[in-house]
Amino acid sequence: MVGGAAGVVWLVLPVMTIKGEVPVAAGRGEPVASASVQGPEPEAARRSTAQDPEDHSGYYSDGSTSPADLVLPLVAVGGVVVLAGYGYVRRTRRARTRTTPGVVSPQPPVTPLPVLERQAGTALVQADDCLRTSREELAFAEDRFGVDAVGPFAGALREAERELSAAFAIRVRYEHDVPAPEEEAARRQALAGIVGRCAEAGRRLDAEAPGFDQLRALERDMGDALGVAEGRFRELAGRTGAVETTLADLDARHPAPGAPATAAVTGYVEQAKDRLVFATTHLNQARQATDLGDTGRAIRDLRAAEGAISQADTFLTGVDRLVNSHAEAAQLVPAALTGAEAELARARAAVPSDLASAHATLSAVREELTSDAPYDPYDPLDALRRIVRALLPLGAGQDGVLGFAARLVARTDIGAADGFVGTHRGAVGVDARTRLAEAQRLLDTYTDPATADVLALEARELAEQDVRMHGNPYAGAADEHTSGVGGAVLGGILLGEDPDGGPPLSFGGPDTRKRRGLPPT
């Protein structure tokens, strides 16, 4: 570049030195005569139009340059261009073959797949928690303001549920048909899809959270909200005794061998009482904070009480659902058993095969059904489940009375698993929630209720394992049993980061939690 600039200057300099006057060459030691002098041109001046052979200035007397003077700058410029091109090619080759990391165009680090899988699982759990909490608080707003007033927020909740359902469906496909290791891009794309769907579910809730807060207006009108919560609390407190009596009666009527008929709801009444104790404490504290003008504390205690009331309702409703399902199953077993035996007979005639297992199952149910015991010596819901599963290898049992039986069993077990996950969500991980979501999808689409029931039972088992592994961080505390804090943290009502259990959650997604100063779950 420097050589090129010098060459250009060399070419331009003669032009820059030419002025408007015509130069006249002077002899050695003589002054230069101006061309403006009037008069005839002297002979000496005419002879001076030829260049002095001893003058090496590079100019003719008329100001022009010689051809030789133009060659050297052009050669210099050409040489510079050649050298610059050669240097550029060398630098390019070195950059392409360089092995030293981080020197030329460093690439961002690639996140390992196991890390992405954990991130996707965390996103699913957080989104599921946000939906469950939002659904619970929405119910209190609906009790106070009516269905029409909460319509936009219920719509946002349904949209978020669809996004989360799609995210769980992606994870199911990822688990069952994981791309080969060489298809890493496809695996990363699937995990990114899970995170994206969860983020969209949270965004839809976050978008409506400010409007929901304005509807409830807890800062201005705490009294009515407290009245609604206290009314639901009193209804549940009065209902607890009746549910406890019903559960004991079911145990007595169906003393099934092995596992009791009420195993799915064992301890539910006690846990409902535990949540109501917690609700009592926080309703009283909310009243006191309101009287003292501490609105922030009052809102925090109200939301904690509402969460506990919702979960107490879930426990008691779970018991009622099981009792009703047993009564319905007891009426359905005879017809379902007859239908299953007919299906088995047709299968034997059409495709001779080993159906001994299915035949043994149906024979055992028939024997239990015809027993002369004063009380039913079997669990009718379990009997229906065994009938439905006996026909699974045959691909039968999707229609008629058998299809109805399969849906009853699946609906009952999905409801039980969902209630357990919801009331223990502070400990339940992504695997149990994924099985539950897929079971619900199969039931809602009438695709395969028998498989839906299998997945629901797997979800419940995984959730119970998570709870056992999690333990109770408040166990052994002086007031743990009297305050209900341990159950509230286990149920995800409180975040569990403070000695008093931490702050409660509310309607909205992850951004709403950040806005309220709550850490992510």
Side-chain angles (χ1 to χ4, degrees):
M1 292 178 65
V2 174
V8 172
V9 172
W10 198 340
L11 288 173
V12 174
L13 185 59
V15 178
M16 296 176 59
T17 56
I18 297 174
K19 298 183 180 179
E21 299 176 347
V22 179
V24 179
R28 285 186 173 85
E30 296 178 358
V32 178
S34 175
S36 63
V37 179
Q38 303 294 327
E41 185 179 14
E43 180 66 19
R46 288 195 298 269
R47 290 195 304 268
S48 68
T49 56
Q51 187 180 21
D52 187 346
E54 296 182 4
D55 185 3
H56 301 286
S57 63
Y59 296 98
Y60 288 103
S61 60
D62 60 356
S64 62
T65 60
S66 67
D69 294 325
L70 297 175
V71 173
L72 291 177
L74 292 176
V75 171
V77 171
V80 170
V81 171
V82 172
L83 290 174
Y86 176 72
Y88 173 79
V89 171
R90 288 196 61 187
R91 285 196 302 273
T92 303
R93 289 178 178 175
R94 283 201 304 268
R96 289 177 179 174
T97 59
R98 188 185 301 274
T99 58
T100 304
V103 175
V104 177
S105 301
Q107 297 296 323
V110 177
T111 305
L113 275 174
V115 176
L116 295 178
E117 290 172 348
R118 287 194 296 271
Q119 291 174 351
T122 300
L124 285 166
V125 170
Q126 184 183 64
D128 191 42
D129 284 348
C130 287
L131 262 71
R132 291 177 182 275
T133 302
S134 298
R135 194 180 297 119
E136 290 170 355
E137 188 174 2
L138 183 67
F140 284 93
E142 182 177 325
D143 285 348
R144 181 181 174 192
F145 300 104
V147 176
D148 294 339
V150 301
F153 314 111
L157 185 61
R158 287 191 296 271
E159 293 174 354
E161 287 171 345
R162 284 192 289 269
E163 294 291 339
L164 182 59
S165 178
F168 275 120
I170 296 173
R171 189 174 192 271
V172 169
R173 292 193 297 271
Y174 187 88
E175 287 182 334
H176 292 172
D177 189 20
V178 178
E182 59 270 17
E183 299 177 3
E184 182 172 325
R187 304 174 73 185
R188 291 179 178 275
Q189 183 178 7
L191 295 172
I194 294 173
V195 174
R197 290 283 191 170
C198 292
E200 180 62 18
R203 187 195 67 78
R204 292 180 183 274
L205 294 176
D206 286 325
E208 297 296 335
F212 184 79
D213 290 343
Q214 291 178 5
L215 175 67
R216 297 204 74 186
L218 297 179
E219 294 82 359
R220 300 191 307 272
D221 193 5
M222 176 64 70
D224 288 346
L226 271 171
V228 171
E230 289 168 345
R232 288 191 63 183
F233 170 84
R234 288 190 292 269
E235 184 270 329
L236 290 172
R239 180 179 159 198
T240 302
V243 172
E244 190 170 21
T245 300
T246 302
L247 187 61
D249 181 63
L250 181 63
D251 265 333
R253 286 190 293 110
H254 299 290
T262 58
V265 293
T266 298
Y268 270 28
V269 174
E270 290 73 17
Q271 292 185 69
K273 292 178 181 179
D274 181 76
R275 297 296 194 275
L276 291 177
V277 168
F278 179 86
T280 300
T281 300
H282 285 270
L283 286 173
N284 290 336
Q285 292 177 353
R287 280 287 181 191
Q288 295 171 2
T290 300
D291 294 340
L292 295 174
D294 190 351
T295 304
R297 182 68 200 189
I299 293 175
R300 174 172 169 155
D301 284 318
L302 173 65
R303 284 192 167 124
E306 288 176 343
I309 291 169
S310 294
Q311 294 195 7
D313 190 10
T314 300
F315 283 124
L316 298 180
T317 299
V319 174
D320 286 338
R321 182 194 304 111
L322 182 65
V323 171
N324 294 334
S325 294
H326 270 83
E328 192 172 358
Q331 296 178 353
L332 192 59
V333 165
L337 180 58
T338 300
E341 289 169 341
E343 288 284 352
L344 185 60
R346 282 193 292 270
R348 280 179 171 174
V351 183
S353 58
D354 185 10
L355 300 175
S357 177
H359 178 73
T361 298
L362 298 182
S363 297
V365 174
R366 174 68 67 183
E367 183 178 353
E368 294 171 1
L369 184 62
T370 57
S371 173
D372 294 331
Y375 292 96
D376 297 332
Y378 76 105
D379 176 351
L381 196 61
D382 181 66
L384 275 186
R385 185 180 297 112
R386 286 183 286 155
I387 292 171
V388 170
R389 290 192 179 186
L391 298 182
L392 272 178
L394 308 179
Q398 302 297 320
D399 302 317
V401 65
L402 292 174
F404 187 84
R407 287 188 288 275
L408 171 62
V409 172
R411 186 170 60 249
T412 302
D413 289 335
I414 289 173
D418 184 70
F420 187 88
V421 171
T423 54
H424 299 80
R425 59 180 178 260
V428 177
V430 68
D431 292 336
R433 299 180 196 232
T434 302
R435 301 288 195 287
L436 177 60
E438 179 64 5
Q440 188 67 59
R441 186 190 69 81
L442 293 175
L443 180 64
D444 291 344
T445 58
Y446 293 89
T447 304
D448 189 352
T451 302
D453 181 60
V454 173
L455 290 173
L457 294 177
E458 289 179 1
R460 175 64 182 264
E461 183 178 357
L462 290 171
E464 290 177 349
Q465 290 176 6
D466 289 339
V467 172
R468 288 193 294 270
M469 292 292 294
H470 182 272
N472 182 3
Y474 292 87
D479 60 345
E480 193 272 323
H481 292 290
T482 58
S483 66
V485 171
V489 173
L490 184 63
I493 300 170
L494 304 179
L495 291 179
E497 56 187 25
D498 297 327
D500 64 350
L505 303 178
S506 60
F507 185 99
D511 287 348
T512 302
R513 294 184 176 187
K514 295 177 184 177
R515 177 165 56 86
R516 290 178 174 150
L518 303 178
T521 55

